[in-house]
Amino acid sequence: MSPQPHHAADNNNDAKKVKLDKSHNGKLSRVIHIRNIPNEVSENEIIQLGVPFGRVTNVLVLKGKNQAFLEMADENAAATMVNFYATCMAQLRGRAVYVQFSNHRELKTDQTHTNNANSNNQVALPGQNQVAQSQAETQGGPNTVLRVIVEQMVYPISLDVLYQIFTRFGKVLKIVTFTKNNTFQALIQYADMVSAQTAKLSLEGQNIYNSCCTLRIDYSKMQNLNVKYNNDKSRDYTNPSLPTGDANLDAASLALGGELLPQLLMGAGSQPRARIPAVISNPNYLMVTPDALFTLFGVYGDVQRVKILYNKKDSALIQMAEPHQAHLALTHMDKLRVFGKVIKVMLSKHQTVQLPKEGQPDAGLTKDYTNSPLHRFKKPGSKNYQNIYPPSSTLHLSNIPATVTEEEIRDAFTKNGFTVKAFKFFPKDRKMALIQMPSMDDAVAALIKMHNYQLSESNHLRVSFSKSNI
């Protein structure tokens, strides 16, 4: 069914008239068609379905028809989204919704409140054209820099907390925090305008902590932030070599010591609980061990401790370093098939995994990884945060020595019981490659087995999920 322009009363898209390219005959498209949406659903909720998979460039909600269209920045992101929701049913307000490719290649929108020439060249997210022309002095039109004001700031807000929250919507380049008129404020610069727009739309009016620390967000007049120091007040994530300067760190921030957990990042503890298969029927695959869970959950955060329950060996506790890492693990791994069985991931009521007391029977089911050299996110602002993708059948390989050939890598996977469907070195960086497995199940098992596989005396393979296909 082709979407038709609706009146504002029907779909709340008073600034839009959709024009669709009907020349697309293939199945793959960066436009996603979402069916069976609730009548009261908002554009923001539709956008949140796509944000974990890549940049969202446009959205159209047809409430009268209980349908929506979401346009992603590229077809790979759209394909990852469709594949993910094919195995994990999407829900909006408790109702199952159906996610599939649209017959249309793009959503073209005419913004009635903007110049027609601009609307043809620049895609806008909802809310972009509601920015009043008579704005405050520090507020500008849509760009990559957001001005954030924190109201009712009962608890101190650190730069790292802001980064963790805002990096969920795109690549954060720079952050500057300051106090003006006794109000805590921050300037946050994204790599692109769409990420800034999505963050503004998603976070405006949200509370960082329960019932307090409310975010008020508008666009800054500044087009680029000039950061001189990397410290607790400002940071340039593109230039880690900047001096620290004098941070004047607020003592209250230190005293807080992480006792509170931002509800925007998690809303509960930093520890997901996983129900896992305890016995694996295929002898080529590893049994589920603490090490296997450490490697798998480590794709989405730094695992501190793992505990497979002694009296209930189909369940485990996995403690992550940060609440938002637990959120990522839960988002991407709930209902994932691991060694042929679907695992269920949920939040635990426990805040930490307790190590067994001396003499207490454990059978090696509890393990501490606090000082593991295999943590992927140890460095603040690690680039690995920008390359987190849902599980897929294609794996990203890195840390490959120049002397290792494609044949040797293929052989390594084959000898460990895996079938290689396709392989490709990165054209500009031979230290990295993509390897495609026959299925997502095979890729999950291969990641567990082959991550940290020794390729040479000084090189161990690094494996993660890729957003690309070969």
Side-chain angles (χ1 to χ4, degrees):
M1 180 180 294
S2 299
Q4 300 295 326
H6 271 46
H7 296 296
D10 292 332
N11 61 24
N12 199 29
N13 280 279
D14 58 332
K16 293 185 178 180
K17 184 177 73 174
V18 67
K19 295 194 301 182
L20 298 173
D21 177 3
K22 298 183 179 181
S23 63
H24 181 49
N25 297 318
K27 291 184 178 180
L28 188 64
S29 169
R30 63 192 183 97
V31 180
I32 305 296
H33 183 199
I34 304 169
R35 296 180 292 116
N36 198 41
I37 66 172
N39 289 328
E40 67 277 10
V41 77
S42 67
E43 289 180 331
N44 182 27
E45 290 171 283
I46 299 295
I47 289 171
Q48 291 309 308
L49 290 177
V51 165
F53 306 97
R55 294 197 306 275
V56 175
T57 53
N58 211 346
V59 64
L60 176 67
V61 179
L62 304 177
K63 290 187 177 180
K65 295 186 177 182
N66 298 101
Q67 298 180 38
F69 291 84
L70 195 67
E71 183 183 81
M72 306 300 290
D74 58 71
E75 290 182 349
N76 284 335
T80 304
M81 177 179 173
V82 170
N83 291 338
F84 178 78
Y85 288 125
T87 59
C88 178
M89 177 63 72
Q91 288 191 345
L92 287 172
R93 303 198 179 199
R95 178 192 286 192
V97 297
Y98 303 97
V99 178
Q100 62 193 50
F101 288 115
S102 169
N103 290 328
H104 308 283
R105 297 198 63 159
E106 59 181 330
L107 285 174
K108 293 180 181 178
T109 58
D110 282 341
Q111 304 290 341
T112 59
H113 297 302
T114 59
N115 183 280
N116 285 335
N118 289 337
S119 67
N120 289 332
N121 295 321
Q122 181 174 304
V123 176
L125 285 176
Q128 175 174 333
N129 298 299
Q130 281 75 45
V131 181
Q133 293 182 355
S134 58
Q135 292 167 327
E137 189 174 313
T138 55
Q139 187 177 350
N143 64 38
T144 60
V145 182
L146 297 177
R147 184 183 68 151
V148 179
I149 297 174
V150 181
E151 297 178 347
Q152 294 181 291
M153 200 169 100
V154 177
Y155 306 108
I157 303 300
S158 69
L159 184 146
D160 287 336
V161 165
L162 289 174
Y163 178 82
Q164 290 164 14
I165 292 170
F166 281 84
T167 196
R168 293 163 57 195
F169 302 94
K171 184 177 181 180
V172 174
L173 302 182
K174 304 172 185 177
I175 299 179
V176 175
T177 64
F178 55 96
T179 300
K180 184 177 181 180
N181 299 328
N182 295 320
T183 304
F184 179 82
Q185 301 187 30
L187 295 172
I188 299 174
Q189 182 176 346
Y190 278 99
D192 58 86
M193 188 184 297
V194 171
S195 295
Q197 291 167 344
T198 307
K200 180 180 183 296
L201 180 69
S202 303
L203 295 174
E204 166 62 29
Q206 297 291 322
N207 296 327
I208 297 180
Y209 295 108
N210 190 26
S211 302
C212 65
C213 299
T214 305
L215 293 172
R216 298 299 178 197
I217 304 173
D218 54 40
Y219 295 105
S220 170
K221 277 189 173 182
M222 301 183 68
Q223 300 296 317
N224 183 58
L225 298 181
N226 182 20
V227 178
K228 297 181 179 179
Y229 303 110
N230 282 342
N231 52 40
D232 293 286
K233 298 294 184 184
S234 63
R235 199 161 300 166
D236 184 342
Y237 296 98
T238 68
N239 187 6
S241 61
L242 287 177
T244 58
D246 182 11
N248 294 319
L249 182 63
D250 187 350
S253 179
L254 285 175
L256 193 61
E259 293 175 5
L260 289 169
L261 301 173
Q263 65 173 25
L264 275 175
L265 300 181
M266 176 52 60
S270 59
Q271 187 177 157
R273 175 162 59 95
R275 185 175 294 274
I276 58 175
V279 180
I280 308 307
S281 58
N282 188 337
N284 290 327
Y285 287 165
L286 291 171
M287 290 188 64
V288 175
T289 63
D291 285 349
L293 293 173
F294 166 78
T295 301
L296 183 57
F297 279 76
V299 173
Y300 300 108
D302 292 337
V303 176
Q304 304 297 292
R305 292 176 181 177
V306 175
K307 182 183 187 70
I308 297 176
L309 304 187
Y310 186 77
N311 294 320
K312 195 178 182 183
K313 292 186 174 62
D314 69 341
S315 297
L317 295 172
I318 297 98
Q319 181 181 335
M320 312 295 283
E322 300 286 348
H324 74 284
Q325 295 176 358
H327 175 75
L328 286 170
L330 185 150
T331 300
H332 292 301
M333 296 184 60
D334 185 35
K335 299 181 178 64
L336 177 69
R337 288 176 64 89
V338 180
F339 301 142
K341 294 186 179 181
V342 176
I343 65 171
K344 183 171 179 59
V345 183
M346 64 200 85
L347 296 178
S348 170
K349 64 181 179 181
H350 303 287
Q351 296 296 319
T352 59
V353 168
Q354 297 297 322
L355 295 176
K357 297 177 182 178
E358 190 174 347
Q360 182 179 346
D362 180 68
L365 298 177
T366 305
K367 199 164 180 180
D368 190 309
Y369 297 94
T370 304
N371 298 316
S372 173
L374 297 180
H375 287 157
R376 300 174 188 248
F377 308 98
K378 288 185 292 187
K379 296 180 180 178
S382 169
K383 289 185 178 179
N384 288 334
Y385 276 120
Q386 300 161 20
N387 296 295
I388 293 177
Y389 303 107
S392 68
S393 61
T394 305
L395 298 173
H396 179 275
L397 309 180
S398 60
N399 204 36
I400 302 171
T403 55
V404 172
T405 65
E406 175 182 337
E407 184 179 1
E408 288 175 302
I409 296 175
R410 283 177 173 267
D411 286 346
F413 277 79
T414 302
K415 288 175 182 177
N416 281 279
F418 303 106
T419 300
V420 178
K421 187 176 179 181
F423 180 91
K424 182 176 73 175
F425 276 114
F426 276 52
K428 295 183 180 181
D429 188 353
R430 204 179 169 284
K431 294 180 180 178
M432 297 189 292
L434 297 178
I435 189 166
Q436 188 171 343
M437 314 308 292
S439 68
M440 190 187 300
D441 290 26
D442 292 321
V444 169
L447 184 146
I448 292 172
K449 178 72 174 179
M450 301 303 293
H451 182 63
N452 202 40
Y453 180 86
Q454 188 166 358
L455 292 174
S456 69
E457 288 187 9
S458 58
N459 290 79
H460 288 72
L461 191 64
R462 297 290 179 257
V463 186
S464 57
F465 294 113
S466 172
K467 67 174 181 178
S468 305
N469 293 317
I470 301 177

